[in-house]
Structures are given as C-alpha cells and as structure tokens.
C-alpha cells in the first residue's frame, strides 16, 4: 500500500463493484458483499449451532445461546418486559454490526461499518423505528416528550428547541460514533503497516526498527477486537435506551 | 472511551501531516457522494438487513428460544422430581424411626416379662430345693439321735455286765443286780452331765 513516501491510509475504504458486470449494474460493492457474508455467518451460526437441539449444548450451540441470552437480557433490562417484542430487531442489529466490525479486521476484507452511509442508514432505521413506536403507543401525547412536565411555560420555546435538537442528534451521534471508531482503527493499522514496509526499505537497521510498528499493530489488533465488540454493544444498548424512552416516555 | 478518543485524535493528526498530501486532495472515500456505490450501499443495507431480520425472527431465533424453553422445562421437571423424591425419603425415614421405636418398646416389655418369669421360676426352684434339704437334714438328725440312743443303751448293758463280772470275781459271789444297775446308772448320769 505504501507507494514511495506517501501512505495511502484511506484507499482501503474505496468502494469497487464486485461480481462482474451484474454487480456493477446493481451497484453491488465489497461493502454489500461483506453484509451478505456477515448475515450468512449469523444465520449459519444459529442454524448449525441449534441443529443439535441438545439439552447440554456443544460449543457452537453454547455460542449461539450465549449471544441470544446476552441480547435478550439487554433488551429486558433496558426496555422492560415490552423489550421482548423488539428483541429480534436488536439481535439483528447487534449481530450485523458485530460481524461487520469483526470481519473487517480480517486481511483483504472490507469493513462496511467504516462507511458513514451505512452507519447512518442503520441509525436512521433505529430512529424511525423509535419514533414510529412512540407515536403508535402514545399518539399525539408523544410530543409532550419534547416539553418535560413542570417546566416553566415561558421557557417553552427554548426547551422545546433544545429537546428537538437533542432528539434529532441521536442518529447523528449514533452513526458517527461507530463510523469514527472503525475508521480510526483501520487508518492506524494501515499507517503502522506502511511504517513497517518503509522501514524495511532502509536495510538492516530498518528491519530492526520495523519491529516497533509491528508490535504496535499487534497490540492495536487486540484493542480493535475490543472496540469491535464494544461498539456493537454500544449501538445496541443505545438503541434499547431510545426504545425505552419511546415505550415509557421518560 | 478516552483511549478511543486518543486513537481517533492520533489518526486525525497523522492524516493532516504532509505524508498524506494526496489524501487531502482526494478526501475520504466515505464522503464521496458522487460515487454511486456510496449510496447504493444504503439500498443494499436495507435489503440485506430486512432479509436477515425476517430470517432471524421467523426461523433462527425461535429455534434458540424453543431449545432454551425446553431446557428450562427439563430443569424445572427434574427439580420437581427431586423434591418429590426427597419428600418420599423423608416420609420413609419418619416411618422407619416410628417402627424402630415401636419395636424397641415391644422388646423392652418382653424382656421385662421374661426376666420376671425367670425370677419366679428360680425362686420356686430354690424354695423346693430348700424344703428337700430341710427334710433330708431332719431325717439325718433323727437317725443320728436313734444311733446315739442305741449307742448309749449298749454302753449301759456292757458296763452293767462288766461291773457284775468284776464284782463276782472280787467277791467270789454273784453280784447284786439291782445295786450294780444303780451304780452304773449314777456314773453314766454323772458322765452325761
């Protein structure tokens, strides 16, 4: 990736169409490809893992059950008993982001969660769902959410404005958080990897010096694995919190 | 989270340095909205996400739920069975304790009865033995008294005869029978005293 003395840290995020002319005609890129792969992996994990239906689970079944339990518990704890209705959505969201983040760490793959279009698409889906749920449950009463009870009427223009802005900034913060974390990690990988190659070009001393960025990349990989899981969890848990607000209004 | 911010900050600093002059000209591919592939991702995201959602909610997740429910049911049933078995065992232990106590009480009364009977029998035996021994003792004493009387009678006759012989030899004439009897009688009486 290192050409001369420049580092092409952003080239890894460039989109190209895959699957030949058919893919090109429908705008099917590496990003969409990885979405299909991670969805397929999720389905295979649950399908194969649960095929045994064992009372004492094997490894794959235990993994599938752990993921199910983890997200299920999160839904119930954050949203309440109504959370069961949203569990499939939260589970889909969590697995989609988790596998997107984790598969993106593999060499030669593509991280679709590093694209703001994708993360904003997910966040928009969440905010539309949250608003729709709130309107469905509370009707016009939902708009009282923007004006807390007991606040002085004189301040209402200010409070309502602030509340609406904070409500609308939710999808923005949700999408930028995930996008920025993924981009930052992958840029760091690329930069340190380029350092190794550039050092190696400087002869024996460079070979020894290259060990530094290599060690950093090894540490960074561990860190990025944590970030991958953490960001998927954060996205899912914030969605749960927004859904809690939608169901209970404060 | 602070380290995340640090990583992002470092990345931004690196991107603005001179090594990335070319990057700055091109900009981030993620923000290149002239590229139709950037927007087409969103369409594909919607399609793939919806398909995944439907497949998970209709097919995959119910399987997990059914297995988890089955396990919870099996565990609850096992616990119930174990609780039932424990109650049975407790009842059996109570029954056993009661039976043991009853058996001990019966045994105790039987032992007492047997001891009393044995005592009575041995008392009766001892009494009959005593009576028998008394009778034998009495018979023996009677015999001794008879033997003694007989012996004393014989001594008198012998002494009388001996006295008569001695008197007749010394005097030359037959002894007076009455005087001899009286003398022997007085001597024997003095001895017996």
């Amino acid at each position: 990736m290192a050409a001369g003395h420049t580092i092409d840290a952003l080239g890894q995020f460039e989109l190209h169409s895959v699957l030949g002319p058919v893919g090109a005609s429908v705008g099917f890129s590496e990003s969409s490809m990885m979405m299909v792969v991670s969805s397929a992996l999720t389905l295979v994990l649950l399908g194969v893992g649960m095929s045994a239906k064992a009372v004492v689970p094997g490894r794959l079944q235990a993994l599938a059950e752990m993921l199910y339990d983890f997200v299920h518990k999160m839904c119930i704890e954050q949203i309440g008993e109504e959370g069961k209705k949203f569990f499939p959505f939260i589970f889909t969201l969590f697995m989609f982001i988790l596998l997107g983040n984790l598969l993106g760490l593999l060499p030669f793959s593509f991280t679709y969660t590093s694209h703001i279009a994708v993360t904003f698409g997910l966040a928009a889906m969440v905010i539309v769902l949250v608003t729709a749920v709130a309107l469905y449950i509370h009707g016009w009463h939902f708009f009282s959410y923007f004006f807390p009870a007991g606040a002085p009427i004189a301040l209402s223009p200010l409070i309502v404005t602030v509340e609406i802005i904070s409500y609308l900034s939710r999808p923005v913060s949700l999408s930028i958080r995930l996008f920025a974390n993924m981009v930052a990690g992958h840029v760091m990988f690329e930069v340190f990897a380029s350092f190794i190659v550039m050092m190696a070009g400087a002869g024996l001393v460079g070979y020894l010096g290259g060990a530094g960025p290599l060690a950093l990349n090894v540490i960074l990989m561990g860190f990025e694995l944590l970030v991958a899981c953490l960001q998927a969890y954060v996205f899912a848990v914030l969605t749960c919190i927004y859904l809690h607000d939608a169901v209970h209004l404060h | 989270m602070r380290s995340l911010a640090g990583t992002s900050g470092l990345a931004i600093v690196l991107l603005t340095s001179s090594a990335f002059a070319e990057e700055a000209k091109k900009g981030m591919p993620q923000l290149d909205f002239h590229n139709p592939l950037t927007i087409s991702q969103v369409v594909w995201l919607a399609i793939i996400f919806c398909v995944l959602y439907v497949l998970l909610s209709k097919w995959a997740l119910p399987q997990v739920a059914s297995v988890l429910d089955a396990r919870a049911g099996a565990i609850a049933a096992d616990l119930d069975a174990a609780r039932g078995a424990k109650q049975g065992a407790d009842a059996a232990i109570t029954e056993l304790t009661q039976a043991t106590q009853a058996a001990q009480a019966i045994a105790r009364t039987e032992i007492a009865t047997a001891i009393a009977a044995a005592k009575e029998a041995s008392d009766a035996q001892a009494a009959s033995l005593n009576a028998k021994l008394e009778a034998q003792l009495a018979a023996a004493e009677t015999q001794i008294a008879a033997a003694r009387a007989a012996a004393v009678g014989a001594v008198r006759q012998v002494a009388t005869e001996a006295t008569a012989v001695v008197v007749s030899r010394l005097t030359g004439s037959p002894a007076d029978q009455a005087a001899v009897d009286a003398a022997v009688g007085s001597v024997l009486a003095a001895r017996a005293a």
Side-chain angles (χ1 to χ4, degrees):
Chain A
M1 293 285 166
H5 288 290
T6 61
I7 301 169
D8 182 18
L10 295 177
Q12 57 176 324
F13 302 119
E14 265 166 32
L15 291 162
H16 309 93
S17 62
V18 292
L19 302 179
V22 182
S25 64
V26 291
F28 197 78
S29 55
E30 305 102 318
S31 166
S32 320
M33 190 61 171
M34 288 311 292
M35 291 181 196
V36 173
V37 170
S38 63
S39 305
L41 259 179
T42 308
L43 290 169
V44 166
L45 167 65
L46 291 190
V48 174
M50 301 315 288
S51 62
K53 294 190 185 303
V55 175
V56 178
R59 289 184 198 182
L60 210 55
Q61 191 183 334
L63 176 63
E65 285 177 10
M66 266 165 62
L67 285 165
Y68 182 101
D69 249 3
F70 177 70
V71 180
H72 198 258
K73 222 174 265 171
M74 180 164 74
C75 282
I76 304 268
E77 275 170 16
Q78 300 295 338
I79 309 175
E81 273 307 300
E82 302 91 335
K84 281 179 188 163
K85 276 181 283 182
F86 305 108
F87 166 68
F89 176 73
I90 303 289
F91 188 84
T92 312
L93 197 62
F94 178 71
M95 290 306 289
F96 191 77
I97 297 172
L98 180 69
L99 282 179
N101 293 350
L102 287 176
L103 290 179
L105 290 174
L106 296 175
F108 304 112
S109 83
F110 189 91
T111 321
Y112 53 80
T113 44
S114 69
H115 268 257
I116 185 73
V118 174
T119 59
F120 191 80
L122 289 168
M125 212 185 306
V126 166
I127 221 69
V128 167
L129 173 79
V130 166
T131 312
V133 165
L135 280 173
Y136 177 77
I137 294 178
H138 302 287
W140 291 108
H141 188 64
F142 161 65
F143 293 100
S144 72
Y145 183 77
F146 297 110
F147 189 71
I153 299 293
L155 286 176
S156 64
L158 189 66
I159 290 173
V160 170
T161 314
V162 167
E163 287 285 337
I164 287 174
I165 290 173
S166 94
Y167 191 80
L168 293 180
S169 65
R170 280 175 175 185
V172 178
S173 67
L174 205 54
S175 56
I176 289 183
R177 182 182 301 110
L178 179 57
F179 157 73
N181 270 289
M182 288 301 119
V183 170
H186 284 264
V187 165
M188 297 295 287
F189 274 134
E190 188 76 47
V191 167
F192 288 129
S194 303
F195 282 171
I196 302 173
V197 176
M198 288 158 105
M199 289 271 200
L204 183 63
V205 181
Y207 268 92
L208 294 175
L214 178 63
L216 274 176
N217 250 4
V218 171
I219 295 166
L220 194 60
M221 180 52 94
F223 182 67
E224 283 302 312
L225 283 171
L226 168 74
V227 169
C229 301
L230 193 66
Q231 288 304 319
Y233 173 72
V234 166
F235 204 104
V237 93
L238 281 174
T239 304
C240 286
I241 291 170
Y242 297 158
L243 277 170
H244 170 91
D245 280 359
V247 172
H248 302 284
L249 282 192
H250 291 293
Chain B
M1 278 309 186
R2 189 179 297 158
S3 51
L4 289 186
T7 322
S8 321
L10 186 51
I12 289 162
V13 168
L14 281 166
L15 281 174
T16 50
S17 71
S18 61
F20 298 92
E22 210 182 314
E23 306 285 331
K25 261 183 277 165
K26 279 202 292 183
M28 295 177 88
Q30 291 98 320
L31 300 177
D32 179 12
F33 293 107
H34 295 297
N35 184 353
L37 288 175
T38 310
I39 298 303
S40 75
Q41 280 185 108
V42 182
V43 180
W44 280 113
L45 164 70
I47 296 168
I48 295 167
F49 192 89
C50 289
V51 170
L52 179 63
Y53 174 77
V54 169
L55 285 177
L56 280 178
S57 60
K58 300 284 173 219
W59 173 71
L61 292 176
Q63 283 188 54
V64 187
S66 74
V67 170
L68 290 181
D69 286 350
R71 180 175 311 145
I75 289 172
D78 284 357
L79 280 179
D80 280 351
R83 231 171 270 133
K86 193 186 175 303
Q87 278 174 356
D90 284 348
I93 286 172
T94 320
E95 205 180 313
L96 179 67
T97 315
Q98 283 173 351
T100 312
Q101 282 173 349
Q104 279 175 348
I106 291 169
R108 236 176 270 123
T109 49
E110 275 184 9
I111 288 167
T113 322
I115 287 172
K119 209 173 174 184
E120 225 168 274
S122 76
D123 282 355
Q125 208 176 358
S128 71
L129 194 60
N130 275 349
K132 211 165 139 187
L133 288 177
E134 294 275 336
Q136 281 177 357
L137 201 61
E141 272 173 4
T142 329
Q143 278 177 357
I144 289 168
R148 195 185 200 152
V152 169
V155 166
R156 189 182 182 102
Q157 196 184 342
V158 170
T160 314
E161 277 172 9
T163 310
V165 171
V166 169
V167 168
S168 64
R169 284 274 175 88
L170 289 174
T171 57
S173 60
D176 179 13
Q177 198 62 41
V180 169
D181 268 354
V184 168
S186 69
V187 170
L188 279 179
R191 282 274 177 88

